[in-house]
Amino acid sequence: MLDKTDTHLEALLRRRKPGYSLEAPFYTDPDIFASDLDLIFGRHWIYVGVEPDVAEPGDAMVIDIGKTSVIITRNDDNEVRAFHNVCRHRGARVLQDYKTSVGNLVCRYHAWTYDLDGKLLFAEHMGKDFDAGCHGLKPVHIRSLEGLLFICLSDDPPADFDDMAARMAPYLAPHDLKNAKVAFESELIEPGNWKLVMENNRECYHCAGNHPELTVPLFAYGFGFAPEELDDMGRLEAQRYADLVKASHGEWESCGFPSQMIEHLDDMVTGFRTERLPLDGAGESHTGDTRAACRKLLGAINDPRHGALHFWTQPNSWHHFMSDHVVTFSAIPLDAERTLVRTKWLVHKDAVEGVDYDIANLTAVWQATNVQDAELVGLCQEGARSPAYEPGPYSPHTEMLVEKFCNWYVGRMRAQGAR
Amino acid sequence: MLDKTDTHLEALLRRRKPGYSLEAPFYTDPDIFASDLDLIFGRHWIYVGVEPDVAEPGDAMVIDIGKTSVIITRNDDNEVRAFHNVCRHRGARVLQDYKTSVGNLVCRYHAWTYDLDGKLLFAEHMGKDFDAGCHGLKPVHIRSLEGLLFICLSDDPPADFDDMAARMAPYLAPHDLKNAKVAFESELIEPGNWKLVMENNRECYHCAGNHPELTVPLFAYGFGFAPEELDDMGRLEAQRYADLVKASHGEWESCGFPSQMIEHLDDMVTGFRTERLPLDGAGESHTGDTRAACRKLLGAINDPRHGALHFWTQPNSWHHFMSDHVVTFSAIPLDAERTLVRTKWLVHKDAVEGVDYDIANLTAVWQATNVQDAELVGLCQEGARSPAYEPGPYSPHTEMLVEKFCNWYVGRMRAQGAR
Amino acid sequence: MLDKTDTHLEALLRRRKPGYSLEAPFYTDPDIFASDLDLIFGRHWIYVGVEPDVAEPGDAMVIDIGKTSVIITRNDDNEVRAFHNVCRHRGARVLQDYKTSVGNLVCRYHAWTYDLDGKLLFAEHMGKDFDAGCHGLKPVHIRSLEGLLFICLSDDPPADFDDMAARMAPYLAPHDLKNAKVAFESELIEPGNWKLVMENNRECYHCAGNHPELTVPLFAYGFGFAPEELDDMGRLEAQRYADLVKASHGEWESCGFPSQMIEHLDDMVTGFRTERLPLDGAGESHTGDTRAACRKLLGAINDPRHGALHFWTQPNSWHHFMSDHVVTFSAIPLDAERTLVRTKWLVHKDAVEGVDYDIANLTAVWQATNVQDAELVGLCQEGARSPAYEPGPYSPHTEMLVEKFCNWYVGRMRAQGAR
Ligand code: FES
Ligand code: FES
Ligand code: FES
Ligand SMILES: [Fe+3]
Ligand SMILES: [Fe+3]
Ligand SMILES: [Fe+3]
């Protein structure tokens, strides 16, 4: 039976076997989950949404991470701000709805009233000795990377966010996310630990057998393969795919779309990966017919054939930037065995629903894929509960990035002094 | 992260900051909740219902407090008795329904049969050596204060119940609760710790903004106020209210209705508070039109304008006695984050529904108010879960009695040796 | 409050009072429940189903015990095999449905493919260094006793299964279970600890008052009784019943149906009990009219009047073998306070529904009885939660076998070094 003393987690981290999935407690133990929330989600940059979620001053969005509830809002100077969603009087949650629009932030209980910078403007009956200046909403660190919003719950956020931002901004800028709008969003509770959700996202070994919709726009040779298993025809197609990637990179970069792979998944605190890759068929978008789902393209893009730029961040996000739309995913741990995945589809803010795009067509591929992935994650969670589970080997050809996710996780836990 | 060793609770109690709400673990920690059940609900007088709940011999009511289930019944000598609801054979729960009427108390499993005094009358097949005399239902202490029933799960109940009873009996007697009937009762599970439910009840700072129905019969100046925030008109109205209270007390006391405030909320083991206060409008009752909801008045009362006598007990009850009806509330902790509030509306036992009173009119104000309070309690519970929560200041003008509730709680926990 | 240190369970086991029900933590404490799963359900032979559940090669059934999920299947050599239901790649559950039929065992995630003997046949992209021979499904011990399937999760199963099997086979053989089929099965979650489910099964003291259907075919004097409580008429009837049992045993044994009681409920590791007993009325079956529910009798039986053979095993099964059908029960602990009871009704495999038997008639008595027992178990669970619960005395005349169940449990826990 699991020895849950503090040294246990430390021992589990220390004896992690490279190239193999994690030991079961990492997926099932509520104490390790609490450490994950504290050391990973409490001390790193967590992707939570996009600037278009709070497009106008007074727009507000509530994000819950573990037991922490955060208000993200836009102040009257058009700056995005974040605060703890806890009244400084008797601690009531200030905002309840996921998204609202407000003038000030008013607590319902006794009407304490805060402005959009968190300052306490008004509190009745508190007497002469009360100092309103000490009772503003507590701020939370927030950063926008070309419209992607990251918060950090720690007082001392990782500094290398700036390095990532400097490298990534040129890749994202052409898609002009700040001038996009959320056309649709979905919430899906996947029945597994957040790390199983991330591992599932970090490989496409499972795609051929499970994602009939997603494998239409994606090239199978992009998933990785064991070279020795290829026949002559396979070798030819693999080479053809490699050539296409190289040619596309050259073409796109020459017209201002950075495309080359950058990968710091396990050698930065704010780990990330990006690459722009060609798509199959018409080559335009993650849609059922591989064509753009939105007639009005993003930013100043005028050719729909720019493939798909993927952008991943540790510990909890992945994004696909295409010429016509962006799909963006944030994974939020709920408990040791459940994870919320929020997916948003964004199009140009001037695109008109029913004219320029159709929601069903825009969202079909990833709505289906998310549900398929949730089921797979659930199978692994059920397996991890069994005493018969033991870490299994990752494929050296298709699961290298799962391995890097685990490396990052184990490294960050140890760096934070997990015990 | 919370250190849940035994000394932790002791340390939290010791460092409690006067004038501020409690630290978060008091509202969220299951271990402290267990201590609350043990030290507060296991060792003090707990209000559970009224004599009219068990009006006739053989009437029985089941009350669950934490893991303890208690049968309250009336024996053939018309005495109210209480027993643990656990069969002495293999431990089956004896009564399942909230309220029933029985001849004897018969366990369904193997038909062991106890009389209304808990004595084992009959047990088949137990053999010659079996001593039925040692296998009666275990008794629980129970007391009636003018028809309000209090139980104590401890073998050694607080002795000052008698002091409270002696002080309170003259206030309650004119309403003759023993000759009332329960016209309606409701159960509401509030989504918060029982202390948040009690704190909510102990102030009306939140009433103006949240209770449109309740603030019709209540005078706003009775909620407390910061004098320095009053303008000239406000000062005049506050003075007018103070004069009305004084005049009403004189008038009511002269005709046999004790009215002056008595308050021992934090200086007695069995803490309580009472006062008879005037009502607004017609001044008769907690109703939408401030008029009596029942034509037949309680006891021998013949004038409906007797305001409302409130009676509070620590740790778990509040009551409003009016000329036409009584509303009585008992708060029962379910777990660290949920509390059952039972509300009963009582009228004269000879009043006829549809003729003398209408249930919807009788219950409208407090049904609405309970739901509003439950929502506010839920907001505080959600806030208390956040690591960003910290104790906030009580208003010295409107939250003095919340402070006294916390004082009583902290004092009683320390007196019981909480560790 | 319960001291949950390791020595606690040891102390509770050591001080167990003979002749009395267990102390409350045995029924309510999640830590003791975990020990039960580990020491009882993890190290003894657990009854899980029947050979007809996996009648053909490729048929598979999934059985979950605690956190362990097991696949039971029949291979191409017609042998019943059992494996842990955990993929050796990244740990996904391999089979999800309770019952299926498959060619190979294929993991849905990345299509690793195992044959019906658990051998890994196929795994893509794993590279040159991967050794498929080390990555087969992990086997689980399984034995068939005349068609009743028992598994043991331990590497070192109790050896005395063979002794039990040798004694029991002649009793069971005439009913030819391997050539029966499951006509109906039900799952019922009883709201109590698995030991309360078993204790309930081990006595019929509760039958007269709770099982109107079951007491039609059963003789009341078979339930046990206190001789000193009998009047003259009672003594006569008791003697008449004893004579009937003796005469029936003689008759049945002479025509090849072993009938005499064998009982090793608390003196074998694989404890069991059996006896063939006469039935009331027509004397044929556990049905509403006491007549056979299936016209085609089991095996080569040609006379329906063979009473009912009961067979009990520690820790989790009971079975009734009649001439026309078999009812078989397996109790699987879900958590400290919930137990799954699976009931299967089997008839001759060539019997035709609607012609030879009617499901409603076949299942009526035990469907009703199960629901009644679940309710009684729930009453005891609720009682055991109360601090007022204390172990009560077993009847020396009707609860001897409950006592033996507790003896076996306590003895096995101590023998496994429970602490
Ligand atoms: S709790 Fe927010 S105003 Fe009182
Ligand atoms: S448990 Fe109450 S009579 Fe047996
Ligand atoms: S987890 Fe089974 S094939 Fe990958
Ligand atoms: Fe996927
Ligand atoms: Fe209120
Ligand atoms: Fe039964």
Side-chain angles (χ1 to χ4, degrees):
Chain A
M1 198 157 288
L2 184 61
D3 174 7
K4 285 183 182 170
T5 58
D6 278 355
T7 48
H8 185 65
L9 173 52
E10 193 181 13
L12 282 171
L13 289 166
R14 201 170 39 225
R15 72 174 183 241
R16 197 249 155 173
K17 191 172 167 187
Y20 281 74
S21 63
L22 301 174
E23 291 192 54
F26 285 110
Y27 304 120
T28 59
D29 184 337
D31 291 339
I32 295 184
F33 178 76
S35 295
D36 284 1
L37 277 183
D38 185 11
L39 305 180
I40 299 294
F41 283 82
R43 305 197 192 175
H44 294 84
W45 287 102
I46 304 303
Y47 169 71
V48 294
V50 291
E51 286 208 39
D53 283 319
V54 288
E56 303 293 328
D59 285 356
M61 171 167 71
V62 172
I63 297 293
D64 292 346
I65 299 179
K67 300 183 169 187
T68 306
S69 182
V70 175
I71 296 171
I72 292 168
T73 188
R74 189 177 288 269
N75 70 12
D76 293 325
D77 299 326
N78 220 28
E79 296 160 339
V80 177
R81 304 291 307 268
F83 307 102
H84 282 287
N85 189 10
V86 181
C87 180
R88 296 297 305 280
H89 178 219
R90 271 163 58 193
R93 179 171 277 223
V94 175
L95 293 187
Q96 291 83 56
D97 295 341
Y98 174 37
K99 291 188 180 176
T100 42
S101 195
V102 297
N104 287 307
L105 296 160
V106 183
C107 178
R108 274 188 50 195
Y109 206 164
H110 312 89
W112 284 28
T113 301
Y114 308 87
D115 71 15
L116 296 173
D117 289 308
K119 198 180 127 198
L120 179 59
L121 295 177
F122 183 71
E124 213 180 4
H125 300 312
M126 290 308 295
K128 294 173 208 159
D129 299 334
F130 177 69
D131 180 358
C134 298
H135 289 91
L137 292 178
K138 294 184 179 176
V140 171
H141 289 280
I142 186 163
R143 298 290 300 275
S144 173
L145 167 51
E146 293 292 322
L148 297 172
L149 297 175
F150 293 81
I151 65 175
C152 182
L153 298 174
S154 163
D155 291 336
D156 185 23
D160 68 352
F161 185 90
D162 293 332
D163 303 333
M164 174 183 77
R167 302 287 300 276
M168 283 306 305
Y171 282 73
L172 304 177
H175 301 268
D176 194 16
L177 195 68
K178 291 186 192 181
N179 286 306
K181 67 174 177 184
V182 177
F184 192 77
E185 65 184 295
S186 79
E187 294 195 341
L188 182 66
I189 294 176
E190 301 201 7
N193 186 276
W194 69 275
K195 294 185 287 294
L196 290 176
V197 171
M198 296 311 297
E199 293 179 43
N200 170 274
N201 174 257
R202 296 309 195 223
E203 49 93 0
C204 225
Y205 183 3
H206 69 275
C207 292
N210 291 281
H211 294 320
E213 295 82 1
L214 183 62
T215 48
V216 171
L218 297 192
F219 282 103
Y221 284 92
F223 306 165
F225 51 85
E228 67 273 18
E229 293 176 10
L230 294 180
D231 57 12
D232 287 351
M233 177 64 91
R235 263 187 299 275
L236 197 71
E237 287 181 27
Q239 187 55 50
R240 204 176 283 160
Y241 174 72
D243 296 344
L244 173 65
V245 170
K246 200 170 170 196
S248 302
H249 280 185
E251 184 186 331
W252 293 330
E253 300 227 324
S254 73
C255 59
F257 289 81
S259 303
Q260 307 259 10
M261 193 246 282
I262 308 177
E263 199 227 276
H264 292 287
L265 283 172
D266 61 0
D267 58 4
M268 278 179 68
V269 175
T270 305
F272 73 102
R273 183 188 207 276
T274 197
E275 187 175 9
R276 193 178 298 269
L277 287 171
L279 297 174
D280 205 347
E284 297 178 4
S285 201
H286 286 177
T287 53
D289 61 2
T290 69
R291 301 202 172 272
C294 185
R295 218 178 328 186
K296 185 154 186 50
L297 301 184
L298 291 166
I301 302 176
N302 48 28
D303 173 0
R305 287 182 50 97
H306 278 94
L309 175 80
H310 72 250
F311 173 43
W312 295 353
T313 67
Q314 313 287 37
N316 86 315
S317 81
W318 60 100
H319 317 263
H320 299 286
F321 283 72
M322 287 156 288
S323 57
D324 66 321
H325 79 279
V326 173
V327 203
T328 169
F329 306 76
S330 119
I332 303 286
L334 298 180
D335 56 37
E337 308 203 313
R338 291 184 313 141
T339 305
L340 173 66
V341 173
R342 274 211 184 90
T343 307
K344 303 182 191 206
W345 289 259
L346 293 111
V347 296
H348 193 291
K349 70 177 174 188
D350 297 334
V352 178
E353 189 188 338
V355 176
D356 295 308
Y357 66 96
D358 170 72
I359 298 282
N361 181 49
L362 177 71
T363 64
V365 168
W366 278 106
Q367 290 268 51
T369 302
N370 278 347
V371 169
Q372 291 149 3
D373 282 328
E375 207 169 328
L376 298 171
V377 162
L379 296 180
C380 281
Q381 188 66 36
E382 286 184 311
R385 278 186 211 128
S386 171
Y389 169 90
E390 65 181 67
Y394 290 136
S395 158
H397 302 293
T398 64
E399 293 173 299
M400 311 77 67
L401 304 181
V402 183
E403 170 71 4
K404 290 203 176 187
F405 171 78
C406 292
N407 291 345
W408 180 88
Y409 167 75
V410 169
R412 293 313 305 154
M413 290 291 275
R414 295 189 70 177
Q416 300 292 340
R419 280 180 315 138
Chain B
M1 196 157 288
L2 183 61
D3 175 6
K4 285 182 183 172
T5 57
D6 279 355
T7 48
H8 185 65
L9 172 53
E10 192 180 15
L12 281 170
L13 290 166
R14 200 170 41 224
R15 72 174 183 241
R16 196 248 154 171
K17 191 172 168 186
Y20 281 74
S21 63
L22 301 175
E23 290 192 54
F26 285 110
Y27 304 120
T28 59
D29 184 336
D31 291 339
I32 294 183
F33 178 77
S35 293
D36 285 2
L37 278 184
D38 184 12
L39 305 180
I40 300 294
F41 284 82
R43 304 196 192 178
H44 294 85
W45 287 102
I46 304 304
Y47 170 70
V48 294
V50 291
E51 286 207 38
D53 282 319
V54 288
E56 302 293 329
D59 284 357
M61 171 167 70
V62 172
I63 296 293
D64 291 346
I65 299 180
K67 300 183 168 185
T68 306
S69 182
V70 175
I71 296 171
I72 292 168
T73 188
R74 190 177 287 271
N75 70 12
D76 293 324
D77 299 326
N78 219 28
E79 296 160 340
V80 176
R81 304 290 306 268
F83 307 103
H84 282 289
N85 189 10
V86 181
C87 180
R88 296 297 306 279
H89 178 218
R90 271 163 57 194
R93 180 170 276 224
V94 176
L95 293 187
Q96 291 83 56
D97 294 342
Y98 174 38
K99 291 186 180 177
T100 42
S101 195
V102 297
N104 288 306
L105 295 161
V106 183
C107 177
R108 274 188 50 196
Y109 207 164
H110 312 88
W112 284 29
T113 302
Y114 308 88
D115 70 17
L116 295 173
D117 289 306
K119 199 180 124 196
L120 179 58
L121 294 178
F122 184 71
E124 212 180 5
H125 299 312
M126 290 308 295
K128 294 172 208 161
D129 299 334
F130 177 68
D131 180 358
C134 298
H135 289 91
L137 292 177
K138 295 183 180 178
V140 170
H141 289 279
I142 185 162
R143 300 289 300 274
S144 172
L145 166 51
E146 293 292 322
L148 297 173
L149 297 175
F150 293 81
I151 65 174
C152 181
L153 297 174
S154 162
D155 290 337
D156 185 24
D160 68 351
F161 185 92
D162 293 333
D163 303 335
M164 174 183 77
R167 302 288 299 277
M168 282 307 305
Y171 282 74
L172 304 178
H175 301 267
D176 195 17
L177 195 68
K178 292 186 191 182
N179 286 306
K181 67 174 177 185
V182 178
F184 192 78
E185 64 184 293
S186 78
E187 293 196 341
L188 182 65
I189 294 176
E190 301 201 6
N193 185 276
W194 69 275
K195 294 185 286 293
L196 290 176
V197 171
M198 296 311 298
E199 293 180 42
N200 170 274
N201 174 257
R202 297 307 196 225
E203 49 93 0
C204 227
Y205 184 1
H206 69 274
C207 292
N210 291 282
H211 293 321
E213 296 82 2
L214 183 62
T215 49
V216 171
L218 296 193
F219 282 104
Y221 285 92
F223 305 165
F225 51 85
E228 66 273 18
E229 293 175 10
L230 294 181
D231 58 11
D232 286 352
M233 177 63 91
R235 263 186 300 276
L236 198 71
E237 287 183 27
Q239 187 55 49
R240 204 177 284 159
Y241 174 72
D243 295 345
L244 174 65
V245 170
K246 199 168 172 196
S248 302
H249 281 185
E251 184 186 330
W252 293 331
E253 300 226 325
S254 73
C255 59
F257 288 81
S259 303
Q260 307 259 10
M261 193 247 282
I262 308 177
E263 200 228 274
H264 292 289
L265 284 172
D266 61 0
D267 58 4
M268 278 177 67
V269 174
T270 304
F272 73 101
R273 184 187 206 276
T274 197
E275 188 174 10
R276 193 179 298 270
L277 286 171
L279 297 174
D280 205 348
E284 296 177 5
S285 203
H286 286 178
T287 52
D289 62 1
T290 69
R291 299 200 173 276
C294 185
R295 219 177 327 184
K296 184 153 188 49
L297 301 185
L298 291 166
I301 303 176
N302 47 30
D303 175 359
R305 288 182 48 96
H306 278 94
L309 175 79
H310 71 250
F311 173 42
W312 295 353
T313 68
Q314 312 288 39
N316 85 317
S317 81
W318 59 100
H319 318 263
H320 300 285
F321 283 73
M322 287 156 290
S323 57
D324 66 321
H325 78 280
V326 172
V327 203
T328 170
F329 306 76
S330 119
I332 303 286
L334 297 180
D335 56 37
E337 308 204 312
R338 292 184 313 141
T339 305
L340 173 67
V341 172
R342 274 212 184 88
T343 307
K344 303 182 191 205
W345 289 260
L346 293 110
V347 296
H348 194 290
K349 70 177 173 188
D350 297 335
V352 178
E353 189 188 337
V355 177
D356 295 309
Y357 66 96
D358 170 73
I359 298 282
N361 181 49
L362 177 72
T363 65
V365 168
W366 278 105
Q367 289 268 52
T369 302
N370 279 347
V371 170
Q372 292 149 1
D373 281 329
E375 206 169 328
L376 298 171
V377 163
L379 296 180
C380 282
Q381 188 66 36
E382 286 184 310
R385 277 185 213 131
S386 172
Y389 169 90
E390 63 181 68
Y394 291 137
S395 157
H397 301 294
T398 64
E399 292 172 300
M400 311 76 67
L401 304 181
V402 183
E403 169 72 3
K404 290 202 177 188
F405 172 77
C406 292
N407 290 345
W408 181 87
Y409 168 75
V410 169
R412 293 313 306 155
M413 289 292 274
R414 296 189 70 177
Q416 299 292 340
R419 281 180 314 139
Chain C
M1 198 157 287
L2 183 62
D3 174 7
K4 286 183 181 171
T5 57
D6 278 355
T7 47
H8 185 65
L9 172 53
E10 192 180 14
L12 282 170
L13 289 166
R14 202 170 37 224
R15 73 175 181 240
R16 196 249 156 171
K17 191 172 169 186
Y20 280 75
S21 63
L22 300 174
E23 291 192 54
F26 285 110
Y27 304 121
T28 59
D29 184 336
D31 291 338
I32 295 183
F33 178 77
S35 294
D36 285 2
L37 277 184
D38 185 11
L39 305 180
I40 300 294
F41 283 82
R43 305 196 192 176
H44 293 85
W45 287 101
I46 304 303
Y47 170 70
V48 293
V50 291
E51 286 207 37
D53 283 317
V54 286
E56 302 294 329
D59 285 357
M61 170 168 72
V62 172
I63 296 294
D64 292 346
I65 300 179
K67 300 184 170 187
T68 306
S69 181
V70 175
I71 296 171
I72 293 168
T73 188
R74 189 177 288 270
N75 69 12
D76 293 323
D77 299 326
N78 220 27
E79 297 160 338
V80 177
R81 304 290 307 268
F83 307 103
H84 283 286
N85 189 10
V86 181
C87 180
R88 295 297 304 279
H89 178 218
R90 272 164 57 196
R93 179 170 278 224
V94 175
L95 293 187
Q96 291 85 54
D97 295 341
Y98 174 37
K99 290 187 180 175
T100 42
S101 196
V102 298
N104 288 307
L105 296 160
V106 183
C107 178
R108 274 187 50 195
Y109 206 164
H110 311 89
W112 285 28
T113 302
Y114 308 88
D115 71 15
L116 296 173
D117 289 307
K119 198 180 125 197
L120 179 59
L121 295 177
F122 184 71
E124 212 181 3
H125 300 312
M126 290 307 296
K128 295 172 209 161
D129 299 334
F130 177 69
D131 180 358
C134 298
H135 289 90
L137 293 177
K138 295 183 178 177
V140 170
H141 290 279
I142 185 162
R143 300 290 300 274
S144 172
L145 166 51
E146 294 292 321
L148 297 173
L149 296 174
F150 293 80
I151 65 174
C152 182
L153 297 174
S154 163
D155 290 336
D156 185 24
D160 67 351
F161 185 91
D162 293 332
D163 303 335
M164 174 183 78
R167 303 287 300 276
M168 283 306 306
Y171 283 74
L172 304 178
H175 300 268
D176 194 16
L177 196 67
K178 292 185 191 181
N179 286 306
K181 65 174 178 185
V182 177
F184 192 78
E185 65 184 296
S186 78
E187 294 196 341
L188 181 66
I189 294 177
E190 301 201 7
N193 186 275
W194 69 276
K195 294 185 286 296
L196 291 176
V197 171
M198 296 310 299
E199 293 180 43
N200 170 273
N201 174 256
R202 297 307 195 225
E203 49 94 0
C204 227
Y205 183 2
H206 70 274
C207 292
N210 291 281
H211 294 321
E213 295 82 2
L214 183 63
T215 48
V216 171
L218 297 193
F219 282 104
Y221 284 92
F223 306 164
F225 51 84
E228 66 272 18
E229 293 175 10
L230 294 181
D231 57 11
D232 286 352
M233 177 64 89
R235 262 188 299 275
L236 199 69
E237 287 182 27
Q239 188 54 50
R240 204 177 283 160
Y241 175 71
D243 294 345
L244 174 64
V245 170
K246 199 170 170 193
S248 302
H249 281 184
E251 184 186 329
W252 293 329
E253 300 226 324
S254 74
C255 59
F257 289 81
S259 304
Q260 306 259 10
M261 192 246 281
I262 307 177
E263 199 228 274
H264 292 288
L265 283 172
D266 60 1
D267 58 4
M268 278 178 69
V269 174
T270 304
F272 72 102
R273 183 187 207 279
T274 196
E275 188 174 10
R276 193 179 297 270
L277 287 171
L279 297 173
D280 206 349
E284 297 177 4
S285 202
H286 286 178
T287 52
D289 62 1
T290 68
R291 299 201 173 275
C294 184
R295 219 178 327 184
K296 182 151 188 52
L297 301 185
L298 291 166
I301 303 176
N302 46 30
D303 174 359
R305 288 183 48 97
H306 279 94
L309 174 80
H310 72 249
F311 173 41
W312 295 353
T313 68
Q314 312 289 36
N316 85 316
S317 81
W318 60 99
H319 317 263
H320 299 286
F321 282 74
M322 287 156 289
S323 57
D324 66 322
H325 78 280
V326 172
V327 204
T328 169
F329 306 75
S330 117
I332 303 287
L334 297 179
D335 58 36
E337 307 203 313
R338 292 184 313 141
T339 305
L340 173 66
V341 173
R342 274 211 184 90
T343 307
K344 304 183 190 204
W345 289 260
L346 293 111
V347 296
H348 194 289
K349 69 177 173 187
D350 298 333
V352 178
E353 189 188 338
V355 176
D356 295 308
Y357 65 97
D358 171 73
I359 297 282
N361 182 48
L362 177 71
T363 64
V365 167
W366 278 106
Q367 289 268 52
T369 302
N370 278 347
V371 169
Q372 291 149 2
D373 281 328
E375 207 169 329
L376 298 171
V377 163
L379 296 179
C380 282
Q381 188 66 36
E382 287 184 309
R385 278 187 212 128
S386 171
Y389 169 89
E390 64 180 69
Y394 291 136
S395 157
H397 301 295
T398 65
E399 293 173 300
M400 311 75 67
L401 305 181
V402 184
E403 169 72 2
K404 291 202 176 188
F405 171 77
C406 292
N407 290 345
W408 180 88
Y409 168 75
V410 169
R412 293 313 304 156
M413 290 291 275
R414 296 189 70 177
Q416 300 293 339
R419 281 180 314 141

